[in-house]
């Protein structure tokens, strides 16, 4: 009872007990909020107090500050930004559902406050697309985020992730369109990691890929490639090559200064290096798959090549393209790796 009377006489509420732990400067800011007619000044005061509390990991106290009716009334023109800070604070205190609700509310309201040189809406949408697991729920925010003009890298990555979201949903035509747009940027190879770049190139190629390049039976495909190589049939080898992302490289590419052969002249060179001076095939194919193989990738080791690398692994992989059951989960000849491993 006496504690209540003391708090009442001091003009404080039970929720303000943490105020006493503030430094004098921040404490003065707190009590001055709402004392004049300048909401801009009040907003700056809240920011200063909030920055202090966040730096001290006092996120629950920051939640209390941002929810306080007096604070919200004094900063009414900046209420969207207060809600943004509150959403971040909820996230830090593990109240994920409240955080997500506030972020989605801000996105729906399309708040247009500029913060740190970019629209708050942009920041909110970026947070949502990074945290929403359900691709159907994420999609509208992803599309809106792409509409914001960013730098080249931001636009490219947003287009790429929009394609991945469409792919998760199963909207393959839209996914491929997004991937095509992603690869239309001249510096796509510099921004995307090599694996992502190769995968979306393959998906684009699979959209119009002829079924005669793939085989359901891996052993049959290996035999076809082997026969074409042994007979020196460049035309048949070309027909069996993957239509996109055909790998030609040295195993130790980073340690070897030899340039990777050009694809348009590679097959002719492959045939030439498989012959001796009499034009006879000297390459030996090992039986079975290399130990490097797995359920989605297969390697077959060949030796005795008439070249400095001596060994070639023929590389085969499973096609991943669910929209076309004629090629999905079938095998394609995807490249060659020169030298030993």
């Amino acid at each position: 009872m006496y504690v209540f009377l003391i708090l009442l006489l001091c003009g404080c509420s039970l929720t303000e007990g943490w105020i006493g732990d503030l430094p004098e400067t921040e404490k003065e800011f707190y009590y001055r909020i709402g004392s004049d007619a300048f909401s801009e000044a009040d907003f700056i005061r809240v920011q200063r107090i909030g920055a202090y509390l966040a730096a001290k990991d006092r996120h629950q106290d920051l939640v209390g500050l941002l929810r306080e009716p007096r604070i919200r009334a004094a900063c009414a023109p900046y209420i969207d930004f207060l809600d943004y800070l509150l959403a971040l604070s909820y996230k830090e205190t593990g109240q994920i559902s409240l955080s997500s609700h506030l972020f989605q509310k801000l996105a729906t309201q399309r708040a247009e406050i500029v913060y740190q040189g970019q629209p708050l809406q942009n920041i909110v949408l970026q947070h949502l697309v990074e945290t929403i697991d359900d691709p159907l729920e994420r999609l509208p925010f992803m599309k809106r985020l792409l509409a914001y003009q960013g730098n080249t890298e931001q636009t490219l990555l947003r287009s790429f992730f929009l394609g991945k979201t469409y792919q998760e949903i199963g909207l393959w035509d839209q996914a491929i369109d997004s991937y095509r747009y992603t690869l239309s940027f001249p510096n796509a190879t510099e921004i995307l990691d090599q694996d992502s770049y190769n995968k979306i190139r393959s998906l684009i190629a699979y959209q119009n890929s002829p079924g005669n390049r793939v085989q359901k039976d891996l052993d049959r495909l290996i035999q076809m490639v082997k026969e074409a190589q042994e007979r020196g049939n460049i035309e048949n080898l070309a027909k069996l090559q993957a239509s996109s992302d055909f790998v030609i490289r040295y195993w130790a590419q980073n340690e070897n200064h030899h340039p990777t052969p050009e694809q348009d002249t590679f097959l002719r060179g492959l045939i030439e290096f498989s012959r001796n001076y009499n034009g006879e095939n000297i390459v030996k194919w090992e039986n079975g798959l290399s130990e490097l193989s797995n359920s989605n990738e297969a390697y077959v080791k060949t030796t005795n090549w008439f070249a400095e690398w001596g060994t070639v692994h023929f590389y085969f992989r499973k096609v991943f393209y669910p929209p076309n059951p004629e090629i999905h989960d079938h095998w394609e000849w995807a490249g060659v790796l020169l030298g030993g491993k």
Side-chain angles (χ1 to χ4, degrees):
M1 181 66 175
Y2 292 110
V3 172
F4 174 77
L5 288 174
I6 292 172
L7 289 172
L8 183 63
L9 290 172
C10 291
C12 302
S13 73
L14 288 170
T15 61
E16 293 179 9
W18 56 271
I19 300 300
D21 294 329
L22 290 176
E24 288 304 316
T25 301
E26 279 71 21
K27 194 181 297 183
E28 182 181 353
F29 286 152
Y30 174 78
Y31 286 116
R32 287 186 61 188
I33 293 173
S35 63
D36 49 42
F38 299 103
S39 56
E40 295 91 344
D42 286 332
F43 177 56
I44 292 172
R45 291 166 186 152
V46 171
Q47 282 187 296
R48 288 284 300 274
I49 299 169
Y52 171 80
L53 293 173
K56 298 295 183 180
D57 291 327
R58 294 172 58 178
H59 299 287
Q60 192 59 55
D61 290 340
L62 183 51
V63 168
L65 173 72
L66 297 170
R67 289 182 56 183
E68 198 173 321
R70 179 176 69 91
I71 303 299
R72 296 179 72 82
C75 300
Y78 303 94
I79 200 68
D80 287 336
F81 187 79
L82 260 62
D83 282 342
Y84 166 70
L85 295 178
L86 183 56
L88 291 178
S89 301
Y90 279 140
K91 180 182 176 183
E92 291 292 338
T93 55
Q95 301 177 80
I96 304 303
S97 60
L98 286 175
S99 175
S100 179
H101 171 75
L102 265 182
F103 276 120
Q104 293 195 41
K105 175 187 173 185
L106 288 168
T108 302
Q109 292 174 340
R110 298 177 182 264
E112 289 300 341
I113 295 174
V114 175
Y115 174 62
Q116 293 184 343
Q118 61 176 319
L120 180 60
Q121 188 71 188
N122 193 343
I123 302 171
V124 168
L125 290 172
Q126 185 67 47
H127 176 85
L128 287 171
V129 302
E130 291 175 355
T131 56
I132 295 177
D133 293 327
D134 187 337
L136 275 173
E137 186 180 345
R138 186 194 320 130
L139 180 61
F141 301 121
M142 193 78 251
K143 292 169 68 175
R144 282 176 52 192
L145 183 62
L146 184 60
Y148 275 90
Q149 293 298 318
N151 59 40
T152 299
E153 181 173 352
Q154 287 175 329
T155 304
L156 184 149
L157 290 174
R158 288 170 183 174
S159 174
F160 171 64
F161 286 113
L162 177 61
K164 291 187 69 174
T165 299
Y166 277 130
Q167 184 177 326
E168 288 180 70
I169 296 170
L171 298 173
W172 283 93
D173 287 343
Q174 292 90 329
I176 298 301
D177 285 344
S178 292
Y179 290 147
R180 288 186 192 279
Y181 180 61
T182 302
L183 295 188
S184 70
F185 290 86
N187 55 345
T189 55
E190 301 170 12
I191 296 175
L192 293 176
D193 64 84
Q194 192 62 47
D195 185 56
S196 296
Y197 179 80
N198 290 340
K199 282 182 178 178
I200 65 177
R201 278 189 64 207
S202 295
L203 288 173
I204 292 170
Y206 292 151
Q207 190 178 43
N208 300 308
S209 177
N212 60 357
R213 293 183 182 272
V214 301
Q215 292 290 325
K216 188 172 184 179
D217 184 78
L218 174 59
D219 291 336
R220 171 60 180 156
L221 179 59
I222 293 173
Q223 186 61 33
M224 293 170 69
V225 174
K226 179 181 178 181
E227 289 177 358
Q229 179 273 310
E230 290 178 338
R231 295 174 183 175
N233 193 322
I234 296 177
E235 182 179 353
N236 282 355
L237 281 176
K239 289 179 180 178
L240 292 169
Q241 279 183 293
S243 55
S244 175
D245 185 27
F246 187 82
V247 177
I248 306 171
R249 72 168 186 263
Y250 293 92
W251 271 119
Q253 188 69 59
N254 294 332
E255 304 168 14
N256 198 311
H257 297 292
H258 296 292
T260 301
E262 294 292 336
Q263 184 161 334
D264 56 353
T265 60
F266 168 71
L267 290 181
R268 187 171 300 280
L270 192 69
I271 295 300
E272 291 176 357
F273 286 127
S274 68
R275 265 64 186 158
N276 60 19
Y277 291 113
N278 296 323
E280 300 167 330
N281 176 55
I282 57 174
V283 169
K284 297 178 181 179
W285 287 66
E286 291 192 354
N287 293 325
L289 302 179
S290 163
E291 61 183 11
L292 301 168
S293 305
N294 55 54
S295 59
N296 294 309
E297 297 177 307
Y299 299 86
V300 180
K301 184 177 181 180
T302 61
T303 57
N304 208 39
W305 290 82
F306 194 61
E308 59 184 343
W309 13 271
T311 299
V312 173
H313 283 80
F314 282 75
Y315 168 52
F316 303 85
R317 69 178 168 220
K318 271 190 178 180
V319 172
F320 177 80
Y321 193 68
N324 186 352
E326 293 184 1
I327 65 172
H328 177 62
D329 219 24
H330 291 196
W331 290 90
E332 65 179 348
W333 176 35
V336 290
L337 300 169
L338 311 175
K341 175 67 173 178

